Coordinates of all heavy atoms in Angstrom, one line a residue:
M1 N -62.7 14.2 -38.9 CA -62.0 13.0 -39.2 C -62.8 12.4 -40.4 O -64.0 12.5 -40.5 CB -62.0 12.0 -38.0 CG -61.2 12.5 -36.9 SD -61.3 11.2 -35.6 CE -60.1 11.9 -34.6
Q2 N -62.0 11.7 -41.2 CA -62.7 11.0 -42.3 C -62.2 9.6 -42.4 O -61.2 9.2 -41.8 CB -62.4 11.8 -43.6 CG -60.9 12.0 -43.9 CD -60.8 12.9 -45.1 OE1 -61.7 13.2 -45.8 NE2 -59.6 13.4 -45.3
D3 N -62.9 8.8 -43.2 CA -62.5 7.4 -43.4 C -62.4 6.7 -42.0 O -61.4 6.0 -41.8 CB -61.2 7.2 -44.2 CG -61.4 7.8 -45.6 OD1 -62.6 7.8 -46.1 OD2 -60.4 8.1 -46.2
W4 N -63.4 6.8 -41.2 CA -63.3 6.1 -39.9 C -63.3 4.6 -40.1 O -63.8 4.0 -41.0 CB -64.6 6.4 -39.1 CG -64.6 7.8 -38.6 CD1 -65.0 8.9 -39.2 CD2 -64.2 8.2 -37.3 NE1 -64.9 10.0 -38.4 CE2 -64.4 9.6 -37.2 CE3 -63.7 7.5 -36.2 CZ2 -64.1 10.3 -36.1 CZ3 -63.4 8.2 -35.0 CH2 -63.6 9.6 -35.0
K5 N -62.6 4.0 -39.2 CA -62.4 2.5 -39.2 C -62.9 2.0 -37.9 O -62.5 2.4 -36.9 CB -61.0 2.1 -39.4 CG -60.8 0.6 -39.5 CD -59.4 0.3 -39.7 CE -59.2 -1.2 -39.7 NZ -57.8 -1.6 -39.8
V6 N -63.8 1.0 -38.0 CA -64.3 0.4 -36.8 C -63.5 -0.8 -36.4 O -63.3 -1.7 -37.3 CB -65.8 0.0 -36.9 CG1 -66.3 -0.6 -35.7 CG2 -66.7 1.2 -37.3
N7 N -63.0 -0.9 -35.2 CA -62.2 -2.0 -34.8 C -63.2 -3.1 -34.2 O -64.0 -2.7 -33.4 CB -61.2 -1.6 -33.8 CG -60.3 -2.7 -33.4 OD1 -60.2 -3.7 -34.1 ND2 -59.7 -2.6 -32.2
P8 N -63.1 -4.3 -34.6 CA -64.0 -5.3 -34.1 C -63.7 -5.7 -32.7 O -64.5 -6.3 -32.0 CB -63.7 -6.5 -35.0 CG -62.3 -6.3 -35.5 CD -62.1 -4.8 -35.6
N9 N -62.6 -5.3 -32.1 CA -62.3 -5.6 -30.7 C -63.1 -4.7 -29.8 O -63.2 -3.5 -29.9 CB -60.8 -5.3 -30.4 CG -59.9 -6.2 -31.2 OD1 -60.1 -7.4 -31.3 ND2 -58.9 -5.6 -31.7
V10 N -63.7 -5.3 -28.8 CA -64.4 -4.6 -27.7 C -64.0 -5.1 -26.4 O -63.6 -6.3 -26.3 CB -66.0 -4.7 -27.9 CG1 -66.5 -3.7 -28.9 CG2 -66.4 -6.1 -28.3
V11 N -64.2 -4.3 -25.4 CA -63.8 -4.6 -24.0 C -65.1 -4.6 -23.2 O -65.8 -3.7 -23.3 CB -62.8 -3.7 -23.4 CG1 -62.4 -4.0 -22.0 CG2 -61.5 -3.6 -24.3
Q12 N -65.3 -5.6 -22.4 CA -66.4 -5.6 -21.4 C -65.9 -4.9 -20.2 O -64.9 -5.3 -19.6 CB -66.8 -7.1 -21.1 CG -68.1 -7.2 -20.3 CD -69.3 -6.8 -21.1 OE1 -69.3 -6.9 -22.3 NE2 -70.3 -6.3 -20.4
Q13 N -66.6 -3.8 -19.8 CA -66.2 -3.0 -18.7 C -67.4 -2.4 -18.1 O -68.1 -1.7 -18.7 CB -65.2 -2.0 -19.2 CG -64.3 -1.4 -18.2 CD -63.3 -0.4 -18.8 OE1 -63.8 0.6 -19.4 NE2 -62.1 -0.7 -18.7
S14 N -67.5 -2.5 -16.8 CA -68.6 -1.9 -16.0 C -70.0 -2.1 -16.7 O -70.8 -1.2 -16.8 CB -68.4 -0.4 -15.9 OG -67.2 -0.1 -15.3
R15 N -70.2 -3.3 -17.1 CA -71.5 -3.7 -17.8 C -71.8 -2.9 -19.0 O -72.9 -2.8 -19.5 CB -72.6 -3.6 -16.8 CG -72.4 -4.5 -15.6 CD -73.2 -4.1 -14.4 NE -74.5 -4.7 -14.5 CZ -75.5 -4.6 -13.7 NH1 -75.3 -3.8 -12.6 NH2 -76.7 -5.2 -13.8
S16 N -70.8 -2.4 -19.6 CA -70.9 -1.7 -20.9 C -69.9 -2.2 -21.9 O -68.9 -2.7 -21.5 CB -70.7 -0.2 -20.7 OG -71.6 0.4 -19.8
Q17 N -70.2 -2.1 -23.2 CA -69.2 -2.5 -24.2 C -68.7 -1.2 -24.8 O -69.4 -0.3 -25.1 CB -69.9 -3.4 -25.3 CG -70.3 -4.7 -24.8 CD -70.6 -5.6 -25.9 OE1 -70.8 -5.2 -27.1 NE2 -70.8 -6.9 -25.6
W18 N -67.3 -1.2 -24.9 CA -66.6 -0.1 -25.5 C -66.1 -0.4 -26.9 O -65.5 -1.4 -27.0 CB -65.5 0.3 -24.6 CG -65.9 0.7 -23.2 CD1 -65.9 -0.1 -22.1 CD2 -66.4 2.0 -22.8 NE1 -66.4 0.6 -21.0 CE2 -66.7 1.9 -21.5 CE3 -66.7 3.2 -23.5 CZ2 -67.3 3.0 -20.8 CZ3 -67.2 4.2 -22.8 CH2 -67.5 4.1 -21.4
G19 N -66.4 0.4 -27.8 CA -65.8 0.3 -29.1 C -64.8 1.4 -29.4 O -64.8 2.4 -28.7
F20 N -64.0 1.2 -30.5 CA -63.0 2.2 -30.8 C -63.1 2.5 -32.3 O -63.3 1.6 -33.1 CB -61.6 1.6 -30.4 CG -61.5 1.2 -29.0 CD1 -61.8 -0.1 -28.6 CD2 -61.2 2.2 -28.0 CE1 -61.7 -0.4 -27.3 CE2 -61.1 1.8 -26.7 CZ -61.4 0.5 -26.3
R21 N -62.9 3.8 -32.6 CA -62.7 4.2 -34.0 C -61.5 5.1 -34.1 O -61.2 5.8 -33.2 CB -64.0 5.0 -34.4 CG -65.2 4.2 -34.5 CD -66.3 5.0 -35.0 NE -67.6 4.2 -35.0 CZ -68.5 4.3 -35.9 NH1 -68.4 5.2 -36.9 NH2 -69.6 3.6 -35.8
I22 N -60.9 5.0 -35.2 CA -59.7 5.8 -35.5 C -59.8 6.5 -36.7 O -60.5 6.1 -37.7 CB -58.4 4.9 -35.5 CG1 -58.5 3.7 -36.4 CG2 -58.0 4.4 -34.1 CD1 -57.3 2.8 -36.5
G23 N -59.2 7.7 -36.8 CA -59.2 8.5 -38.0 C -57.8 8.9 -38.4 O -56.9 8.8 -37.7
R24 N -57.7 9.4 -39.7 CA -56.4 9.7 -40.2 C -55.7 10.9 -39.6 O -54.5 11.0 -39.7 CB -56.5 10.0 -41.7 CG -56.8 8.8 -42.5 CD -56.5 9.1 -43.9 NE -57.6 9.8 -44.6 CZ -57.9 9.7 -45.8 NH1 -57.2 9.0 -46.6 NH2 -58.8 10.4 -46.4
L25 N -56.4 11.7 -38.9 CA -55.8 13.0 -38.4 C -55.1 12.8 -37.0 O -54.8 13.8 -36.4 CB -56.9 14.1 -38.3 CG -57.4 14.4 -39.7 CD1 -58.5 15.5 -39.6 CD2 -56.3 14.8 -40.7
G26 N -55.0 11.6 -36.5 CA -54.2 11.4 -35.3 C -54.9 11.3 -34.0 O -54.4 11.7 -32.9
S27 N -56.1 10.8 -34.0 CA -56.8 10.5 -32.7 C -57.6 9.3 -32.8 O -58.0 8.8 -33.9 CB -57.7 11.7 -32.4 OG -58.7 11.9 -33.3
M28 N -57.9 8.7 -31.6 CA -58.7 7.6 -31.5 C -59.9 8.0 -30.6 O -59.8 8.7 -29.6 CB -58.0 6.4 -30.8 CG -58.8 5.2 -30.6 SD -58.1 4.0 -29.5 CE -58.6 4.7 -28.0
V29 N -61.1 7.5 -31.0 CA -62.3 7.9 -30.2 C -62.8 6.6 -29.5 O -63.0 5.6 -30.2 CB -63.4 8.5 -31.1 CG1 -64.7 8.8 -30.3 CG2 -62.9 9.8 -31.7
R30 N -63.0 6.7 -28.2 CA -63.6 5.6 -27.5 C -65.1 5.8 -27.4 O -65.6 6.9 -26.9 CB -63.0 5.5 -26.1 CG -63.3 4.3 -25.3 CD -62.4 4.2 -24.1 NE -62.8 3.0 -23.4 CZ -62.2 2.6 -22.3 NH1 -61.3 3.4 -21.8 NH2 -62.5 1.5 -21.7
I31 N -65.9 4.8 -27.8 CA -67.3 5.0 -27.9 C -68.0 4.0 -27.0 O -67.7 2.8 -27.0 CB -67.8 4.8 -29.3 CG1 -67.2 5.8 -30.2 CG2 -69.3 4.8 -29.4 CD1 -67.3 5.6 -31.7
N32 N -69.0 4.4 -26.2 CA -69.8 3.5 -25.4 C -70.8 2.8 -26.4 O -71.7 3.5 -27.0 CB -70.6 4.3 -24.3 CG -71.4 3.4 -23.4 OD1 -72.1 2.5 -23.9 ND2 -71.4 3.7 -22.2
G33 N -70.7 1.5 -26.5 CA -71.5 0.7 -27.4 C -72.9 0.7 -27.1 O -73.8 0.3 -27.9
L34 N -73.3 0.9 -25.8 CA -74.7 0.9 -25.4 C -75.4 2.2 -25.7 O -76.6 2.2 -26.0 CB -74.8 0.6 -23.9 CG -74.2 -0.8 -23.5 CD1 -74.3 -0.9 -22.0 CD2 -74.9 -1.9 -24.2
T35 N -74.7 3.3 -25.6 CA -75.4 4.6 -25.9 C -75.0 5.2 -27.2 O -75.6 6.2 -27.6 CB -75.0 5.6 -24.8 OG1 -73.6 5.8 -24.8 CG2 -75.4 5.1 -23.4
N36 N -73.9 4.7 -27.8 CA -73.3 5.2 -29.1 C -72.8 6.7 -28.9 O -72.8 7.4 -29.8 CB -74.3 5.1 -30.2 CG -74.6 3.7 -30.6 OD1 -73.7 2.9 -30.6 ND2 -75.8 3.4 -30.9
L37 N -72.4 7.0 -27.7 CA -71.9 8.3 -27.4 C -70.4 8.3 -27.3 O -69.8 7.3 -26.8 CB -72.5 8.9 -26.1 CG -74.0 9.2 -26.2 CD1 -74.5 9.6 -24.8 CD2 -74.4 10.2 -27.3
V38 N -69.7 9.3 -27.7 CA -68.3 9.4 -27.5 C -67.9 9.6 -26.0 O -68.5 10.4 -25.3 CB -67.7 10.6 -28.3 CG1 -66.2 10.8 -28.0 CG2 -67.9 10.4 -29.8
F39 N -67.1 8.7 -25.5 CA -66.7 8.7 -24.1 C -65.4 9.5 -24.0 O -65.2 10.2 -23.0 CB -66.5 7.2 -23.6 CG -66.1 7.1 -22.2 CD1 -67.0 7.4 -21.2 CD2 -64.8 6.8 -21.9 CE1 -66.6 7.3 -19.9 CE2 -64.4 6.7 -20.6 CZ -65.3 6.9 -19.6
A40 N -64.5 9.3 -24.9 CA -63.2 10.0 -24.8 C -62.6 10.1 -26.2 O -62.7 9.2 -27.0 CB -62.2 9.2 -23.9
T41 N -61.8 11.2 -26.5 CA -61.0 11.3 -27.7 C -59.6 11.4 -27.2 O -59.2 12.2 -26.4 CB -61.4 12.6 -28.4 OG1 -62.8 12.6 -28.8 CG2 -60.6 12.8 -29.7
I42 N -58.8 10.5 -27.7 CA -57.4 10.3 -27.3 C -56.5 10.6 -28.4 O -56.5 9.9 -29.5 CB -57.2 8.9 -26.8 CG1 -58.2 8.5 -25.7 CG2 -55.8 8.7 -26.2 CD1 -58.4 7.1 -25.4
P43 N -55.6 11.6 -28.3 CA -54.6 11.9 -29.3 C -53.6 10.8 -29.5 O -53.0 10.3 -28.5 CB -54.0 13.2 -28.9 CG -54.2 13.3 -27.4 CD -55.4 12.5 -27.1
V44 N -53.3 10.3 -30.7 CA -52.3 9.3 -31.0 C -51.4 9.9 -32.1 O -51.5 11.1 -32.4 CB -52.9 8.0 -31.3 CG1 -53.6 7.4 -30.1 CG2 -53.9 8.0 -32.5
G45 N -50.7 9.0 -32.8 CA -49.8 9.5 -33.9 C -50.6 9.7 -35.2 O -51.8 9.6 -35.3
V46 N -49.8 10.1 -36.2 CA -50.3 10.4 -37.5 C -50.7 9.1 -38.3 O -49.9 8.1 -38.2 CB -49.3 11.2 -38.4 CG1 -49.9 11.5 -39.7 CG2 -49.0 12.5 -37.6
Q47 N -51.8 9.1 -38.9 CA -52.4 8.0 -39.6 C -52.5 6.7 -38.8 O -51.9 5.7 -39.1 CB -51.5 7.7 -40.9 CG -52.1 6.7 -41.9 CD -53.2 7.3 -42.7 OE1 -53.3 8.5 -42.9 NE2 -54.1 6.5 -43.1
P48 N -53.3 6.8 -37.7 CA -53.5 5.5 -36.9 C -54.3 4.6 -37.8 O -55.2 5.0 -38.5 CB -54.3 6.0 -35.8 CG -54.9 7.3 -36.2 CD -54.0 7.9 -37.2
I49 N -53.9 3.3 -37.8 CA -54.4 2.4 -38.8 C -55.1 1.2 -38.2 O -55.9 0.5 -38.8 CB -53.3 2.0 -39.9 CG1 -53.9 1.4 -41.1 CG2 -52.3 1.1 -39.2 CD1 -53.0 1.3 -42.2
E50 N -54.7 0.8 -37.0 CA -55.2 -0.4 -36.4 C -55.2 -0.3 -34.9 O -54.3 0.3 -34.3 CB -54.4 -1.7 -36.8 CG -55.0 -3.0 -36.4 CD -56.3 -3.3 -37.0 OE1 -56.4 -3.1 -38.3 OE2 -57.2 -3.7 -36.3
V51 N -56.2 -0.9 -34.2 CA -56.3 -0.9 -32.8 C -56.4 -2.3 -32.3 O -57.0 -3.2 -32.9 CB -57.7 -0.2 -32.3 CG1 -57.9 -0.3 -30.8 CG2 -57.7 1.3 -32.8
G52 N -55.6 -2.6 -31.2 CA -55.7 -3.8 -30.5 C -56.0 -3.6 -29.0 O -55.5 -2.6 -28.5
V53 N -56.8 -4.5 -28.4 CA -57.2 -4.3 -27.0 C -56.8 -5.5 -26.2 O -57.1 -6.6 -26.6 CB -58.7 -4.1 -26.9 CG1 -59.1 -3.9 -25.5 CG2 -59.1 -2.9 -27.7
N54 N -56.1 -5.3 -25.1 CA -55.8 -6.4 -24.2 C -56.7 -6.2 -23.0 O -56.5 -5.3 -22.1 CB -54.4 -6.4 -23.7 CG -54.0 -7.6 -22.9 OD1 -54.8 -8.1 -22.2 ND2 -52.8 -8.0 -23.0
S55 N -57.8 -7.0 -22.9 CA -58.8 -6.8 -21.9 C -58.3 -7.3 -20.5 O -58.8 -6.9 -19.5 CB -60.1 -7.6 -22.2 OG -59.8 -8.9 -22.5
S56 N -57.2 -8.1 -20.5 CA -56.6 -8.5 -19.2 C -55.9 -7.4 -18.5 O -55.9 -7.3 -17.3 CB -55.7 -9.7 -19.5 OG -56.4 -10.8 -20.0
T57 N -55.2 -6.6 -19.3 CA -54.4 -5.5 -18.7 C -55.1 -4.1 -18.9 O -54.5 -3.1 -18.4 CB -53.0 -5.4 -19.4 OG1 -53.2 -5.1 -20.8 CG2 -52.3 -6.7 -19.2
N58 N -56.2 -4.0 -19.6 CA -56.9 -2.8 -19.9 C -56.0 -1.8 -20.6 O -56.0 -0.6 -20.4 CB -57.5 -2.2 -18.6 CG -58.6 -1.2 -19.0 OD1 -59.2 -1.2 -20.0 ND2 -58.9 -0.3 -18.0
R59 N -55.2 -2.4 -21.6 CA -54.3 -1.5 -22.4 C -54.9 -1.6 -23.9 O -55.3 -2.6 -24.3 CB -52.9 -2.1 -22.4 CG -52.2 -2.1 -21.1 CD -51.9 -0.7 -20.6 NE -51.2 -0.6 -19.4 CZ -51.7 -0.4 -18.1 NH1 -53.0 -0.3 -18.0 NH2 -50.9 -0.4 -17.1
I60 N -54.7 -0.4 -24.5 CA -55.2 -0.3 -25.9 C -54.0 0.1 -26.7 O -53.2 1.0 -26.3 CB -56.3 0.8 -26.0 CG1 -57.4 0.5 -25.1 CG2 -56.7 0.9 -27.5 CD1 -58.3 1.6 -24.7
Y61 N -53.7 -0.6 -27.8 CA -52.6 -0.4 -28.7 C -53.0 0.1 -30.0 O -53.9 -0.4 -30.7 CB -51.8 -1.7 -28.8 CG -51.3 -2.2 -27.5 CD1 -52.2 -3.1 -26.8 CD2 -50.1 -1.9 -27.0 CE1 -51.7 -3.6 -25.5 CE2 -49.7 -2.4 -25.8 CZ -50.5 -3.2 -25.1 OH -50.1 -3.7 -23.8
V62 N -52.4 1.3 -30.5 CA -52.8 1.9 -31.8 C -51.5 2.0 -32.6 O -50.5 2.6 -32.2 CB -53.4 3.3 -31.6 CG1 -53.8 3.9 -32.9 CG2 -54.6 3.2 -30.6
A63 N -51.6 1.3 -33.8 CA -50.5 1.4 -34.8 C -50.6 2.7 -35.5 O -51.6 3.0 -36.2 CB -50.5 0.2 -35.7
N64 N -49.5 3.6 -35.5 CA -49.5 4.9 -36.1 C -48.6 4.7 -37.3 O -47.4 4.8 -37.2 CB -49.0 6.0 -35.2 CG -49.9 6.0 -33.9 OD1 -51.1 6.1 -34.0 ND2 -49.2 5.9 -32.8
S65 N -49.2 4.5 -38.5 CA -48.4 4.2 -39.7 C -47.4 5.2 -40.1 O -46.3 4.9 -40.5 CB -49.3 3.7 -40.8 OG -50.1 4.8 -41.2
F66 N -47.7 6.5 -40.1 CA -46.8 7.5 -40.6 C -45.8 7.9 -39.6 O -44.8 8.5 -39.9 CB -47.6 8.8 -41.0 CG -48.3 8.7 -42.4 CD1 -48.3 7.5 -43.0 CD2 -48.8 9.8 -42.9 CE1 -48.9 7.3 -44.3 CE2 -49.5 9.7 -44.2 CZ -49.5 8.5 -44.8
N67 N -46.0 7.6 -38.3 CA -45.0 7.9 -37.2 C -44.1 6.7 -37.0 O -43.1 6.8 -36.1 CB -45.6 8.3 -36.0 CG -46.3 9.7 -36.1 OD1 -47.5 9.8 -35.9 ND2 -45.5 10.7 -36.3
D68 N -44.4 5.6 -37.6 CA -43.6 4.3 -37.3 C -43.5 4.0 -35.9 O -42.5 3.5 -35.3 CB -42.1 4.5 -37.9 CG -42.1 4.9 -39.4 OD1 -43.1 4.5 -40.1 OD2 -41.2 5.5 -39.8
N69 N -44.7 4.1 -35.2 CA -44.7 3.7 -33.8 C -46.1 3.2 -33.4 O -47.0 3.2 -34.2 CB -44.3 4.9 -32.9 CG -45.2 6.1 -33.0 OD1 -46.4 6.0 -33.3 ND2 -44.6 7.3 -32.8
V70 N -46.2 2.7 -32.1 CA -47.4 2.3 -31.5 C -47.7 3.1 -30.3 O -46.8 3.2 -29.4 CB -47.4 0.8 -31.2 CG1 -48.6 0.3 -30.5 CG2 -47.2 0.0 -32.5
S71 N -48.9 3.6 -30.1 CA -49.3 4.3 -28.9 C -49.9 3.2 -28.0 O -50.7 2.4 -28.4 CB -50.4 5.3 -29.2 OG -49.8 6.3 -30.0
V72 N -49.5 3.3 -26.7 CA -50.0 2.4 -25.7 C -50.9 3.3 -24.8 O -50.4 4.2 -24.2 CB -48.9 1.7 -24.8 CG1 -49.5 0.8 -23.8 CG2 -47.9 1.0 -25.8
I73 N -52.2 2.9 -24.7 CA -53.1 3.7 -24.0 C -53.6 3.0 -22.7 O -53.9 1.8 -22.8 CB -54.3 4.0 -24.9 CG1 -53.8 4.9 -26.1 CG2 -55.4 4.8 -24.1 CD1 -54.9 5.0 -27.2
N74 N -53.7 3.7 -21.6 CA -54.2 3.1 -20.4 C -55.8 3.2 -20.5 O -56.3 4.3 -20.6 CB -53.8 3.9 -19.2 CG -54.3 3.5 -17.9 OD1 -55.5 3.1 -17.8 ND2 -53.5 3.4 -16.9
G75 N -56.4 2.1 -20.6 CA -57.9 2.1 -20.8 C -58.7 2.6 -19.6 O -59.8 3.0 -19.8
G76 N -58.1 2.7 -18.4 CA -58.8 3.3 -17.3 C -58.8 4.8 -17.3 O -59.8 5.4 -17.0
S77 N -57.6 5.4 -17.7 CA -57.5 6.9 -17.6 C -57.7 7.5 -19.0 O -57.7 8.7 -19.2 CB -56.2 7.3 -17.1 OG -55.1 6.8 -17.9
N78 N -57.7 6.6 -20.1 CA -57.8 7.1 -21.5 C -56.7 8.1 -21.8 O -56.9 9.1 -22.5 CB -59.2 7.8 -21.7 CG -60.3 6.8 -21.6 OD1 -60.2 5.7 -22.2 ND2 -61.3 7.1 -20.9
T79 N -55.5 7.7 -21.4 CA -54.3 8.6 -21.7 C -53.2 7.7 -22.3 O -53.1 6.5 -22.0 CB -53.7 9.2 -20.4 OG1 -53.4 8.2 -19.5 CG2 -54.7 10.2 -19.8
V80 N -52.4 8.3 -23.2 CA -51.3 7.6 -23.7 C -50.2 7.4 -22.7 O -49.7 8.4 -22.1 CB -50.7 8.3 -25.0 CG1 -49.5 7.6 -25.5 CG2 -51.8 8.4 -26.1
M81 N -49.8 6.2 -22.4 CA -48.8 6.0 -21.3 C -47.5 5.7 -21.9 O -46.5 5.8 -21.2 CB -49.3 4.8 -20.4 CG -49.6 3.5 -21.1 SD -50.3 2.3 -20.0 CE -48.9 1.9 -19.0
A82 N -47.4 5.4 -23.2 CA -46.1 5.1 -23.8 C -46.3 5.2 -25.3 O -47.4 5.0 -25.9 CB -45.5 3.8 -23.4
T83 N -45.2 5.5 -26.0 CA -45.1 5.5 -27.5 C -43.9 4.6 -27.8 O -42.8 5.0 -27.4 CB -45.0 6.9 -28.1 OG1 -46.2 7.6 -27.7 CG2 -45.0 6.8 -29.6
V84 N -44.1 3.6 -28.6 CA -43.0 2.6 -28.9 C -42.7 2.6 -30.3 O -43.5 2.4 -31.2 CB -43.5 1.2 -28.5 CG1 -42.4 0.2 -28.7 CG2 -44.0 1.1 -27.0
S85 N -41.4 2.9 -30.7 CA -40.9 2.9 -32.0 C -40.9 1.4 -32.5 O -40.4 0.6 -31.8 CB -39.5 3.5 -32.2 OG -39.6 4.8 -31.9
V86 N -41.4 1.2 -33.7 CA -41.5 -0.2 -34.2 C -41.0 -0.4 -35.6 O -41.0 -1.5 -36.1 CB -43.0 -0.7 -34.1 CG1 -43.5 -0.8 -32.6 CG2 -43.9 0.1 -34.9
G87 N -40.5 0.6 -36.2 CA -40.0 0.4 -37.6 C -41.0 1.0 -38.6 O -42.0 1.6 -38.3
D88 N -40.6 0.8 -39.9 CA -41.4 1.4 -41.0 C -42.8 0.9 -41.1 O -43.1 -0.3 -41.1 CB -40.7 1.1 -42.3 CG -39.3 1.8 -42.4 OD1 -39.1 2.8 -41.6 OD2 -38.5 1.4 -43.2
F89 N -43.7 1.9 -41.1 CA -45.1 1.8 -41.5 C -45.8 0.6 -40.8 O -46.2 -0.4 -41.5 CB -45.3 1.7 -43.0 CG -46.6 2.0 -43.5 CD1 -47.1 3.3 -43.6 CD2 -47.5 1.0 -43.9 CE1 -48.3 3.6 -44.0 CE2 -48.8 1.3 -44.3 CZ -49.2 2.6 -44.4
P90 N -46.0 0.6 -39.5 CA -46.8 -0.5 -38.9 C -48.2 -0.4 -39.4 O -48.8 0.6 -39.5 CB -46.7 -0.1 -37.4 CG -46.5 1.3 -37.3 CD -45.7 1.6 -38.5
F91 N -48.8 -1.6 -39.7 CA -50.2 -1.6 -40.2 C -51.1 -2.6 -39.4 O -52.2 -2.8 -39.8 CB -50.1 -2.0 -41.7 CG -49.5 -3.3 -42.0 CD1 -50.3 -4.5 -42.0 CD2 -48.2 -3.4 -42.3 CE1 -49.7 -5.7 -42.3 CE2 -47.6 -4.6 -42.6 CZ -48.3 -5.7 -42.6
G92 N -50.6 -3.1 -38.3 CA -51.4 -4.0 -37.5 C -50.9 -4.1 -36.1 O -49.8 -3.7 -35.8
V93 N -51.8 -4.7 -35.3 CA -51.4 -4.9 -33.9 C -51.9 -6.3 -33.5 O -53.0 -6.7 -33.8 CB -52.1 -3.9 -33.0 CG1 -51.8 -4.1 -31.5 CG2 -51.7 -2.4 -33.4
G94 N -51.0 -7.1 -32.9 CA -51.4 -8.4 -32.4 C -51.3 -8.4 -30.9 O -50.4 -7.8 -30.3
I95 N -52.3 -9.0 -30.2 CA -52.4 -9.0 -28.8 C -52.4 -10.4 -28.3 O -53.1 -11.3 -28.8 CB -53.7 -8.3 -28.3 CG1 -53.8 -6.9 -28.9 CG2 -53.9 -8.3 -26.8 CD1 -52.7 -5.9 -28.3
N96 N -51.7 -10.7 -27.2 CA -51.7 -12.0 -26.6 C -52.2 -11.8 -25.1 O -51.5 -11.4 -24.2 CB -50.3 -12.5 -26.5 CG -50.2 -13.9 -25.9 OD1 -51.3 -14.5 -25.7 ND2 -49.0 -14.4 -25.7
P97 N -53.5 -11.9 -25.0 CA -54.1 -11.6 -23.7 C -53.7 -12.6 -22.6 O -53.4 -13.7 -22.8 CB -55.6 -11.6 -23.9 CG -55.8 -12.4 -25.2 CD -54.5 -12.3 -25.9

C-alpha cells in the first residue's frame, strides 16, 4: 500500500486505543495504538479515502471513492457487514454518535 492516510478518529476499547489507516489498493488496517502493531486488515472498496468511527455502535465507515460506496465494518468482528451505494466519488464520512 502506498500513500497511507492516518485517520484522527480513535476508539477506546478494552483499555487500548485503536487507530485506522487506509491505502489506495482497497483495504483498511486496524492498528493497536499502544503497541503499533497491525491488529486486522479489512478488505474494502477501491480507493478508500476517509474513515469515520461511531464509538457508540462500534461501527467503522469507509468511503470508497472509485466504487461510489461506503463500507460498513463491525468493529467487534473486523468484517464488512454492509456496502452502501452513495453516489459519485464519496470523499468523506460524517458520524453522529
